[in-house]
Amino acid sequence: MAGSDRFKIFKNVLLFENLPEENIKRIIDLSIEKTFQTGDILIEQDTLANNAYIICSGSVRAYRISEEGDEITLGVLGQGEIVGEMSLLDDEPRSASVAALQETVVLIINRGRFVSLLKEFSDLTISLLRTLSLRIRTINDHLEDIVSKNLYDRTWKMLLSLSKYFPEKNIALSQEELAEIIGATRARVTEVLNRLKSDGKITLSHREIKLN
């Protein structure tokens, strides 16, 4: 990925948007590019790690696995967003897993190098706190949706969110994969998708859901 493309992406990341250009370029120089394929695990819950990931293209799903073995989706993230940012502050195990929903290119930031920049730039520390605060709010909103919204509304809202990360709003996911993201059975999600199709909101085909 060209340096100019990296800069455009980093400039739009909440964590870096208020930093001077020269500071952003220093952070970019410290990052490593990596590509993950569909289904690859970027972050595994309860493991120790010291990297954060800036998403340059594609999209990922953050989720937790409960003691009963159920997957609970915490959110879907795409270009210009950061995952694993908690590891930039502590040495604690990962609080959630993150998996690629499609081919995803990331820039990896190492904790040790990042901490040295935090000590140097106070603006970066403030931006990191803002990022963490927004992440907590986003997760809370998502969990509230799970509790308060019916499955039809939850599914439609998730489809709207996912469509931002797929070309021409063609969501390349199977109904089973979508059910895992929403946190419902495949049968119930299939029923809702058929209703959405009847309402003219989506078009269904093999491993693809297109928003009309």
Side-chain angles (χ1 to χ4, degrees):
M1 181 184 299
S4 58
D5 293 332
R6 290 188 179 190
F7 180 80
K8 289 178 182 177
I9 292 170
F10 268 65
K11 186 63 179 176
N12 290 322
V13 176
L14 176 63
L15 181 57
F16 308 123
E17 63 180 7
N18 293 321
L19 295 182
E21 290 188 7
E22 59 270 22
N23 294 347
I24 295 177
K25 291 176 180 177
R26 285 183 62 184
I27 297 172
I28 291 174
D29 289 339
L30 296 175
S31 64
I32 300 172
E33 182 176 325
K34 185 172 182 178
T35 300
F36 292 90
Q37 300 302 320
T38 303
D40 285 352
I41 303 296
L42 287 73
I43 295 172
E44 188 172 356
Q45 182 179 326
D46 296 329
T47 60
L48 292 174
N50 60 355
N51 295 324
Y53 303 81
I54 304 296
I55 302 172
C56 300
S57 64
S59 57
V60 302
R61 175 173 73 108
Y63 61 94
R64 278 187 59 83
I65 300 177
S66 69
E67 294 182 357
E68 293 75 26
D70 298 321
E71 290 188 4
I72 304 170
T73 296
L74 302 177
V76 175
L77 302 98
Q79 185 182 74
E81 296 183 283
I82 184 172
V83 292
E85 66 274 16
M86 286 296 295
S87 70
L88 298 176
L89 289 177
D90 59 38
D91 294 316
E92 296 298 316
R94 297 289 196 182
S95 60
S97 294
V98 177
L101 291 174
Q102 56 186 301
E103 182 177 278
T104 300
V105 178
V106 302
L107 290 173
I108 304 172
I109 303 174
N110 177 267
R111 178 177 182 267
R113 295 173 177 175
F114 188 80
V115 168
S116 65
L117 294 175
L118 285 176
K119 295 176 180 178
E120 188 174 349
F121 307 123
S122 59
D123 287 348
L124 186 55
T125 303
I126 295 172
S127 293
L128 181 56
L129 293 175
R130 289 175 56 215
T131 300
L132 294 173
S133 176
L134 178 60
R135 179 58 48 80
I136 292 171
R137 290 177 184 272
T138 300
I139 291 174
N140 286 343
D141 288 344
H142 178 71
L143 294 178
E144 183 178 342
D145 283 346
I146 293 177
V147 174
S148 63
K149 292 185 182 297
N150 61 50
L151 186 57
Y152 182 97
D153 291 338
R154 280 168 52 199
T155 301
W156 177 237
K157 185 174 181 178
M158 181 57 70
L159 289 174
L160 289 174
S161 178
L162 287 166
S163 69
K164 297 183 296 184
Y165 307 122
F166 287 85
E168 300 180 356
K169 299 183 178 181
N170 288 321
I171 303 170
L173 295 174
S174 68
Q175 294 183 20
E176 183 175 359
E177 290 168 333
L178 179 63
E180 289 179 355
I181 294 173
I182 295 171
T185 65
R186 177 180 177 178
R188 292 189 64 203
V189 170
T190 298
E191 180 181 343
V192 169
L193 289 175
N194 287 330
R195 287 177 57 196
L196 288 167
K197 179 181 177 181
S198 297
D199 292 342
K201 293 184 175 181
I202 63 173
T203 300
L204 297 175
S205 56
H206 178 64
R207 285 192 60 83
E208 186 174 279
I209 305 166
K210 178 176 175 55
L211 272 65
N212 298 330

